[in-house]
Amino acid sequence: MDFQAVEEKWRKKWLESGLWKSKAVEGKPKFFIHFAYPGVSGFLHVGHMRGYSYADMIARYKRMTGFNVFFPVGVHASGNQAIGFAKKVNQGDEKWINYLKANGASDEEIEKMKEVDFVVRYFMNKYKEYWELFGFLADWDSLACTVFPDYNKFIQWQFRKLKDKGLLVKKPYVAPFCPNCGPVAIDPSETDISKGGNAEKQEFTVLKFDTGKGYYLVAATLRPETVFGQTNLWVRPDVEYVKARVGNEVWVCSKECVEKLKLQREDVEDTGERVKGEELIGLKVIAPGAERKIIVLPSEFVDPDFGTGIVTSVPSDAPYDYQALMDLKKNKELLDRYGLREEVEALEIIPIIRSKEWGETPAKKICEEMGIRDQNDPKLEEATKVIYKAGFHTGVMNENCGEYAGMKVEQAKEMVKQKLIQEGKADVMYDLSEEVICRCGARVLLKKTPDQWFIKYSDKEWTEESKKHARIMNILPEEYYKNMPGVLDWFQDRACARLGNWLGTKLPFDERWTIEPISDSTLYPAFYVVSRFVNTGKLQLDELTDEFFDYVFLGKGSAEKPVWEEVKKEFEYWYPVDINLGGKEHKTVHFPVYVMNHVAILKPEHWPKGIFVNWFVTGKGGKISKSKGGASASPQEAAAKYSVDALRFYYAHVASPFVDIEWREGIVTDYKKHVENLVSTVEKLSSFNGVDFGIDEWMNARLDKHLREYHEFMNEYDFRKAINSVFFDLLKDLQYYEKRGGNSRKTAERVIEVLLKTMAPFTPFVCEELWQRTGHDGLISASEIPTPEAVNEEALEREEIVKRVEEGINNIMKITRVKPSKITLFVAPEWKRKALVKALELGSPKQVMSLMEEFKEHKAAAKFLQFVSKKYHELRKPLSFDGELKALEEAKDYFEKTFNAEVVVMNAGESGHEKALNAVPGKPAILLE
RNA sequence: GCAGGGGUAGCCAAGCGGCCAACGGCGCCAGGUUCAGGGCCUGGUCCCUUAGUGGGUUCGAGGGUUCAAAUCCCUUCCCCUGCACCA
């Protein structure tokens, strides 16, 4: 079969059919599903298609089981990604342009991508193409984009609602900031930045050391509790330090530090005075907390770009300090130059914290253990981490730490810091743990915004209400359901808007601010209903007033135009959302705010009903990155290579949606074979032309069983199990059916119907094609999946007996290497059945042997009851003697043909043969001769 | 650190109190198929035993609950993910 041609054909037919269009139908059950729309972030790869495909599968299944389905899609373009892309094209960034070309962008398109608007439209259309390629029956009329004016109006309405409810607050905030681009996000995927994705914002305690000369030396530390062990200060002799006015004090620190401080507080001013590090050496200053005079010493490891450029030395607990001190003590020449020999030689380590593992002078211990060479040894970084961690969790403050003596470091840390700040001996500053460079090339620093807008997710009542609702939601997987209340509790206020030039919606009451990408994507499923009306020209942009949204979403006011009424009806029909599907990356970001915003703004009957979280497709050893990903994992290439059906089949079946899967070409190839197998199976079935006989009863019972299981599993969205039943198990059954001589046309037709319809949600193209080829009219996608008849359990059990006998004969033949000419099957006599039933009624194997009394007249009674007792939990109520006999008699021809031997069936009770005693109800004894 | 998830046979991966020596796939072994193009089918794949429905040792490690544990509880080791102006 030419899969690509078939796909093309049905894509077109589906589009023409309008099956994807959604309209409220009074009285018909509805199903609203969507996935968290992708951000404009480059081309997608096969990994992204996994989750999206799940949404389409569910939508298709629901559509084929009597639901009216709404499956809208959208694109998220807020933020600065598209801006960045346009900038790259403008700059002629070769890497980026090659990437665009490799993914099929034409020269004209690339030229046009100098415009941000075009970038957005280009990728939006691209994403839509992927979805169409994969056969989605999505409501294309509802397509929404977060930077389009209609969407903006909706978001502005939403933010006015939040503000009215007092859920927007302003407070100071410190965040990464680029001097050119404004606020940036630091995350490992490095969307906004080009370097430093793993940097963390750290809060330093700035210790102020009084020089007695009208200015302070300042040192930043992450370990304020170690102030008691300070022995000296470190400065770099070659660095020129700055005297800066901070409030009404004068601080001495590095130039870089002044720049950072300026971003974090308003009262910083460079006095223009400079002081060389050298000049500070030998100075005596008062160490805050320790309250004693310590000396300023030279060192090499101090980085003017980190902290304040001056370091307080705690050689007991800081490996760098310890090593620098040791180095200095050895360096007589240097000491003599500064005339510090005596004082430095007299410096002693002051133990202040003790821990089980590292004792009282951890820095010394670890430096010795790790064999640190000198203060420039890179291993010091690691040593510092180890000691910091151990000290923080297991450390206890020593007696020489005043009121903190005996206290755990974990506790003391914060208390010491607070006290120092209170007493005016310390302050706070923020710095990044490593260098961060913006996409534009500038250095990213931390900046304080005094009046940052936040959404007040910390609100107690709101959180509680949301948690309460989450409990009645259908959240998959189960672990996430259990986790959701915790996530909602953990979710604190979120900065929701940023200054500067970003794509997105302006805050309606303060247009300097652009709403940040997460915050403008919380209530948007509601907007899909509206966007359909806008896209089809039934609503004009200027009609999207607050009154309109109030009326449609909240039922407030009255319809100014008839179309308002219509939109409202649609909204009320489709809402709430049945499933919001998204990747696991949304677990602690999008989903909680999605729930909370619904709870805050909409009526309870419109709060979301379900969340479905899917995991990723990874490359070898990591994520397939869409920005770095090659064309090999592109949806188009994969589709051409394996067929879309094979890919969808792969997603649905290869593993649970709730685990990561590794993209392996060989595995996908297997699924392509399975699709081919589906085709050939249906072709074969079409040629069946016989009539029903015994085995058809079994085949039909199996079909019913598979159908029943299929629907059960699909209701839990367990695609893998559903497919196992209705595809893999069914094909096995079919093989067996043929082996047993089945060839009924009627049965074959039923198999075809069940197979194609149940598989249609997963492999829609090939099912549609085969449906047509087997002479059916209409779209299979628009048909109903059959529901099962009552399963004929007895027919199933009869065949199980036949299978057991066949297996038994094979076993015995193999072991004995006997090729029998006569096979005798001994059917367990009636009394054994009676005994078995009675035993099962006892409910436990314990008392089984007490039945001995009743059956003692039978020679095999003891042996049989022992067997029953032992296998108690495996045994089930047996078929009647006649039923078993019938099964074997019917299969007699089959056995004779298979084993080429005479087959005799008889009542074990009427045979004197020793083997006959082994007969068990449902499992005849076998004699080969 | 805080929060969450996980460790199952050579590998991937189901199972989550009895029907489990443990689904399925890959790999490997044997056999079949007038079979040559990343085929298909049958059987085997922890050890032993055997005219089949039997025994022993397994599900990171160590304890415990139970008539019964891969499955529940405790302790312990190891791995992964998230931690917020990122979608």
Side-chain angles (χ1 to χ4, degrees), chain A residues 577-633:
Chain A
V577 178
D578 292 281
I579 288 184
N580 179 182
L581 186 147
K584 64 175 176 178
E585 74 274 26
H586 296 296
K587 286 203 287 181
T588 52
V589 186
H590 168 247
F591 288 129
V593 295
Y594 162 73
V595 172
M596 289 190 75
N597 277 275
H598 276 81
V599 167
I601 295 169
L602 297 184
K603 295 190 247 180
E605 64 263 35
H606 294 146
W607 296 353
K609 289 174 81 171
I611 289 174
F612 187 110
V613 185
N614 69 276
W615 264 237
F616 299 142
V617 176
T618 63
K620 273 202 185 71
K623 214 167 151 180
I624 304 180
S625 153
K626 60 180 161 179
S627 52
K628 294 166 195 157
S632 67

Coordinates of all heavy atoms in Angstrom, one line a residue, chain A residues 577-633:
Chain A
V577 N -13.7 22.3 30.3 CA -12.8 21.5 29.5 C -12.7 20.1 30.1 O -12.6 19.9 31.3 CB -11.4 22.1 29.6 CG1 -10.4 21.2 28.8 CG2 -11.4 23.5 29.0
D578 N -12.9 19.0 29.3 CA -12.8 17.7 29.8 C -11.3 17.2 30.0 O -11.0 16.6 30.9 CB -13.5 16.7 28.8 CG -15.0 17.0 28.9 OD1 -15.7 16.5 29.8 OD2 -15.5 17.7 28.0
I579 N -10.5 17.6 29.0 CA -9.1 17.2 29.1 C -8.2 18.3 28.6 O -8.4 18.8 27.5 CB -8.7 15.9 28.4 CG1 -9.3 14.7 29.1 CG2 -7.2 15.8 28.3 CD1 -9.0 13.4 28.4
N580 N -7.3 18.7 29.5 CA -6.2 19.6 29.1 C -5.0 18.7 29.1 O -4.6 18.2 30.1 CB -6.1 20.8 30.1 CG -4.9 21.7 29.7 OD1 -4.7 22.7 30.4 ND2 -4.2 21.5 28.6
L581 N -4.4 18.5 27.9 CA -3.3 17.6 27.8 C -2.0 18.4 27.6 O -1.9 19.3 26.8 CB -3.5 16.7 26.6 CG -2.6 15.5 26.3 CD1 -3.4 14.3 25.8 CD2 -1.5 15.9 25.4
G582 N -0.9 18.0 28.3 CA 0.3 18.7 28.1 C 1.5 17.8 28.7 O 1.3 16.9 29.4
G583 N 2.7 18.2 28.2 CA 3.9 17.4 28.6 C 4.2 17.6 30.1 O 3.7 18.6 30.7
K584 N 5.0 16.8 30.6 CA 5.3 16.8 32.1 C 6.0 18.1 32.5 O 6.0 18.4 33.7 CB 6.2 15.6 32.4 CG 7.6 15.6 31.8 CD 8.4 14.4 32.4 CE 9.7 14.3 31.7 NZ 10.6 13.3 32.2
E585 N 6.5 18.9 31.5 CA 7.2 20.1 31.9 C 6.1 21.1 32.4 O 6.5 22.1 33.0 CB 7.9 20.7 30.7 CG 7.0 21.3 29.6 CD 6.6 20.3 28.6 OE1 6.5 19.1 28.9 OE2 6.3 20.6 27.4
H586 N 4.9 20.8 32.2 CA 3.8 21.8 32.7 C 3.4 21.5 34.1 O 2.6 22.2 34.6 CB 2.6 21.7 31.7 CG 2.9 22.1 30.3 ND1 3.2 23.4 30.0 CD2 2.8 21.4 29.2 CE1 3.3 23.5 28.7 NE2 3.1 22.3 28.2
K587 N 3.9 20.4 34.7 CA 3.3 20.0 35.9 C 3.4 21.0 37.0 O 2.4 21.2 37.8 CB 4.0 18.7 36.4 CG 3.6 17.5 35.7 CD 3.9 16.2 36.4 CE 5.3 15.9 36.5 NZ 5.5 14.6 37.3
T588 N 4.5 21.8 37.1 CA 4.6 22.8 38.2 C 4.5 24.2 37.7 O 4.7 25.1 38.4 CB 5.9 22.6 39.0 OG1 7.0 22.6 38.0 CG2 5.9 21.3 39.7
V589 N 4.1 24.3 36.4 CA 4.0 25.7 35.9 C 2.6 25.9 35.3 O 1.9 26.7 35.9 CB 5.1 25.9 34.8 CG1 5.0 27.4 34.3 CG2 6.5 25.6 35.3
H590 N 2.3 25.3 34.2 CA 1.1 25.7 33.5 C -0.2 25.1 34.2 O -1.2 25.8 34.5 CB 1.1 25.2 32.1 CG -0.2 25.3 31.4 ND1 -0.9 24.2 31.0 CD2 -1.1 26.3 31.2 CE1 -2.1 24.6 30.5 NE2 -2.2 25.9 30.6
F591 N -0.1 23.8 34.5 CA -1.4 23.2 35.1 C -1.9 23.8 36.4 O -3.1 24.1 36.5 CB -1.2 21.7 35.2 CG -1.2 21.0 33.9 CD1 -0.2 20.1 33.6 CD2 -2.2 21.2 33.0 CE1 -0.2 19.4 32.4 CE2 -2.2 20.5 31.7 CZ -1.2 19.6 31.4
P592 N -1.0 24.1 37.3 CA -1.5 24.7 38.6 C -2.2 26.1 38.3 O -3.2 26.4 38.8 CB -0.3 24.9 39.5 CG 0.9 24.4 38.7 CD 0.4 23.7 37.5
V593 N -1.6 26.9 37.4 CA -2.2 28.2 37.2 C -3.4 28.1 36.3 O -4.3 28.9 36.4 CB -1.2 29.2 36.6 CG1 0.0 29.5 37.6 CG2 -0.6 28.7 35.3
Y594 N -3.4 27.1 35.5 CA -4.6 26.8 34.7 C -5.8 26.5 35.6 O -6.9 27.1 35.5 CB -4.3 25.6 33.8 CG -5.5 24.9 33.2 CD1 -6.2 25.4 32.2 CD2 -5.8 23.6 33.7 CE1 -7.3 24.7 31.6 CE2 -6.9 22.9 33.1 CZ -7.6 23.5 32.1 OH -8.6 22.8 31.5
V595 N -5.6 25.7 36.6 CA -6.7 25.4 37.5 C -7.1 26.6 38.3 O -8.2 27.0 38.5 CB -6.3 24.2 38.5 CG1 -7.3 24.0 39.6 CG2 -6.1 22.9 37.7
M596 N -6.1 27.3 38.9 CA -6.3 28.4 39.8 C -7.1 29.6 39.1 O -7.9 30.2 39.7 CB -5.1 28.9 40.5 CG -4.6 27.8 41.5 SD -3.2 28.4 42.5 CE -4.1 29.5 43.7
N597 N -6.7 29.9 37.9 CA -7.3 31.0 37.2 C -8.8 30.6 36.9 O -9.7 31.5 36.9 CB -6.6 31.4 35.9 CG -5.4 32.3 36.3 OD1 -5.6 33.5 36.4 ND2 -4.3 31.7 36.5
H598 N -9.0 29.4 36.5 CA -10.4 29.0 36.3 C -11.2 29.2 37.6 O -12.3 29.7 37.6 CB -10.5 27.6 35.8 CG -10.3 27.4 34.3 ND1 -9.1 27.4 33.7 CD2 -11.2 27.3 33.3 CE1 -9.3 27.3 32.4 NE2 -10.5 27.2 32.2
V599 N -10.6 28.7 38.7 CA -11.3 28.8 40.0 C -11.6 30.3 40.3 O -12.6 30.6 40.8 CB -10.5 28.1 41.1 CG1 -11.0 28.4 42.4 CG2 -10.5 26.6 40.8
A600 N -10.6 31.1 40.1 CA -10.7 32.5 40.4 C -11.8 33.3 39.7 O -12.5 34.1 40.2 CB -9.4 33.2 40.3
I601 N -11.9 32.9 38.4 CA -12.7 33.8 37.5 C -14.0 33.2 37.1 O -15.0 33.9 37.1 CB -11.8 34.2 36.3 CG1 -10.6 35.1 36.7 CG2 -12.7 35.0 35.3 CD1 -9.6 35.3 35.7
L602 N -14.0 31.9 36.7 CA -15.3 31.4 36.2 C -16.1 30.8 37.3 O -15.7 30.5 38.4 CB -14.9 30.3 35.1 CG -14.2 30.8 33.9 CD1 -14.0 29.7 32.9 CD2 -14.9 32.0 33.2
K603 N -17.3 30.5 36.9 CA -18.3 29.8 37.8 C -17.9 28.4 38.0 O -17.3 27.7 37.1 CB -19.7 29.9 37.2 CG -20.3 31.3 37.0 CD -21.7 31.2 36.7 CE -22.0 31.7 35.3 NZ -23.4 31.6 34.8
P604 N -18.2 27.9 39.2 CA -17.7 26.5 39.5 C -18.1 25.4 38.5 O -17.3 24.5 38.2 CB -18.5 26.2 40.8 CG -18.6 27.5 41.5 CD -18.8 28.5 40.3
E605 N -19.3 25.6 37.8 CA -19.6 24.6 36.8 C -18.7 24.6 35.6 O -18.8 23.8 34.7 CB -21.1 24.7 36.4 CG -21.5 26.0 35.7 CD -22.1 27.0 36.7 OE1 -21.6 27.1 37.9 OE2 -23.0 27.8 36.3
H606 N -17.9 25.6 35.5 CA -17.0 25.7 34.4 C -15.6 25.4 34.7 O -14.7 25.7 33.9 CB -17.1 27.1 33.7 CG -18.5 27.4 33.1 ND1 -19.1 28.6 33.1 CD2 -19.3 26.5 32.5 CE1 -20.3 28.5 32.5 NE2 -20.4 27.3 32.1
W607 N -15.3 25.0 35.9 CA -14.0 24.6 36.3 C -13.5 23.3 35.6 O -14.4 22.4 35.4 CB -13.9 24.5 37.8 CG -14.1 25.8 38.5 CD1 -14.3 27.0 37.9 CD2 -14.3 26.0 39.9 NE1 -14.5 28.0 38.8 CE2 -14.5 27.4 40.1 CE3 -14.2 25.2 41.0 CZ2 -14.7 28.0 41.3 CZ3 -14.4 25.7 42.3 CH2 -14.6 27.1 42.4
P608 N -12.3 23.2 35.3 CA -11.8 22.1 34.4 C -12.0 20.7 35.1 O -12.0 20.6 36.3 CB -10.3 22.3 34.3 CG -10.0 23.4 35.3 CD -11.2 24.1 35.6
K609 N -12.3 19.7 34.2 CA -12.6 18.4 34.7 C -11.4 17.4 34.6 O -11.3 16.5 35.4 CB -13.7 17.8 33.9 CG -15.0 18.4 34.2 CD -16.1 17.9 33.2 CE -16.7 16.6 33.7 NZ -17.9 16.3 32.9
G610 N -10.5 17.7 33.7 CA -9.4 16.7 33.6 C -8.1 17.2 33.1 O -8.1 18.2 32.3
I611 N -7.0 16.6 33.5 CA -5.7 16.9 33.1 C -5.0 15.6 32.7 O -5.1 14.6 33.4 CB -4.9 17.7 34.1 CG1 -5.4 19.1 34.4 CG2 -3.4 17.7 33.8 CD1 -4.8 19.8 35.5
F612 N -4.3 15.7 31.6 CA -3.6 14.5 31.1 C -2.2 14.9 30.8 O -1.9 15.8 30.0 CB -4.2 14.0 29.8 CG -3.7 12.7 29.3 CD1 -4.5 11.5 29.3 CD2 -2.4 12.6 28.7 CE1 -4.0 10.3 28.8 CE2 -2.0 11.4 28.2 CZ -2.8 10.2 28.3
V613 N -1.2 14.3 31.6 CA 0.2 14.7 31.4 C 0.9 13.6 30.7 O 0.9 12.4 31.1 CB 0.8 14.9 32.8 CG1 2.3 15.4 32.6 CG2 0.0 15.9 33.7
N614 N 1.6 14.0 29.6 CA 2.3 13.0 28.9 C 3.8 13.2 29.1 O 4.3 14.4 29.3 CB 2.0 12.9 27.4 CG 2.4 14.2 26.7 OD1 1.7 15.2 26.7 ND2 3.6 14.1 26.1
W615 N 4.6 12.2 29.0 CA 6.1 12.3 29.1 C 6.7 12.5 27.7 O 6.0 12.6 26.7 CB 6.6 11.0 29.8 CG 6.8 11.2 31.3 CD1 7.9 11.0 31.9 CD2 5.8 11.5 32.3 NE1 7.8 11.2 33.3 CE2 6.5 11.5 33.5 CE3 4.5 11.8 32.3 CZ2 5.8 11.8 34.7 CZ3 3.8 12.1 33.5 CH2 4.5 12.1 34.7
F616 N 8.0 12.5 27.7 CA 8.7 12.9 26.5 C 9.2 11.7 25.6 O 9.2 10.6 26.1 CB 10.0 13.7 26.8 CG 9.7 14.9 27.6 CD1 10.6 15.3 28.6 CD2 8.7 15.8 27.3 CE1 10.4 16.5 29.3 CE2 8.4 16.9 27.9 CZ 9.3 17.3 29.0
V617 N 9.6 12.1 24.4 CA 10.4 11.2 23.6 C 11.8 11.7 23.7 O 12.1 12.9 23.5 CB 10.0 11.2 22.1 CG1 10.9 10.3 21.3 CG2 8.6 10.7 22.0
T618 N 12.8 10.9 24.1 CA 14.1 11.4 24.3 C 15.0 10.8 23.2 O 14.7 9.8 22.6 CB 14.7 11.0 25.7 OG1 14.8 9.6 25.7 CG2 13.8 11.5 26.8
G619 N 16.1 11.6 23.0 CA 17.1 11.0 22.1 C 18.0 10.2 23.0 O 17.8 10.0 24.1
K620 N 19.1 9.6 22.4 CA 20.0 8.8 23.2 C 20.6 9.7 24.2 O 21.3 10.7 23.9 CB 21.1 8.2 22.3 CG 20.7 6.9 21.6 CD 21.9 6.1 21.2 CE 21.5 4.9 20.5 NZ 20.9 5.1 19.1
G621 N 20.3 9.3 25.5 CA 21.0 10.1 26.6 C 20.5 11.5 26.8 O 21.1 12.2 27.5
G622 N 19.3 11.8 26.3 CA 18.8 13.2 26.6 C 17.6 13.5 25.7 O 17.2 12.8 24.9
K623 N 17.2 14.8 25.9 CA 16.0 15.3 25.2 C 16.4 15.5 23.7 O 17.5 15.9 23.4 CB 15.7 16.6 25.9 CG 14.2 16.9 25.9 CD 13.9 18.1 26.8 CE 12.7 18.8 26.3 NZ 12.5 20.0 27.2
I624 N 15.4 15.2 22.9 CA 15.6 15.7 21.5 C 15.3 17.2 21.5 O 14.2 17.6 21.9 CB 14.6 15.0 20.5 CG1 14.7 13.5 20.6 CG2 14.9 15.5 19.1 CD1 13.7 12.8 19.7
S625 N 16.3 17.9 21.2 CA 16.1 19.4 21.3 C 15.5 19.9 20.0 O 16.0 19.6 18.9 CB 17.4 20.1 21.6 OG 17.4 21.4 21.2
K626 N 14.5 20.7 20.1 CA 13.9 21.2 18.8 C 14.8 22.3 18.2 O 14.8 22.5 17.0 CB 12.5 21.6 19.0 CG 12.2 22.7 19.9 CD 10.7 22.9 19.9 CE 10.2 23.7 21.2 NZ 8.8 24.0 21.2
S627 N 15.5 23.0 19.1 CA 16.4 24.0 18.5 C 17.6 23.4 17.9 O 18.2 23.9 16.9 CB 16.7 25.1 19.5 OG 17.3 24.5 20.6
K628 N 18.1 22.4 18.5 CA 19.3 21.7 18.0 C 19.0 20.5 17.1 O 19.9 20.0 16.4 CB 20.2 21.3 19.2 CG 20.7 22.5 20.0 CD 21.3 22.0 21.3 CE 21.4 23.2 22.3 NZ 21.5 22.8 23.7
G629 N 17.8 20.0 17.2 CA 17.5 18.8 16.5 C 17.7 18.8 15.1 O 17.4 19.8 14.4
G630 N 18.2 17.7 14.5 CA 18.4 17.6 13.1 C 17.1 17.3 12.4 O 16.1 17.1 13.0
A631 N 17.2 17.2 11.1 CA 16.0 16.9 10.3 C 15.5 15.5 10.5 O 14.4 15.1 10.2 CB 16.2 17.2 8.8
S632 N 16.4 14.6 11.0 CA 16.1 13.2 11.0 C 14.9 12.9 11.9 O 14.2 11.9 11.7 CB 17.3 12.4 11.5 OG 17.6 12.7 12.8
A633 N 14.7 13.8 12.9 CA 13.6 13.5 13.8 C 12.5 14.5 13.5 O 11.6 14.7 14.3 CB 14.1 13.7 15.2

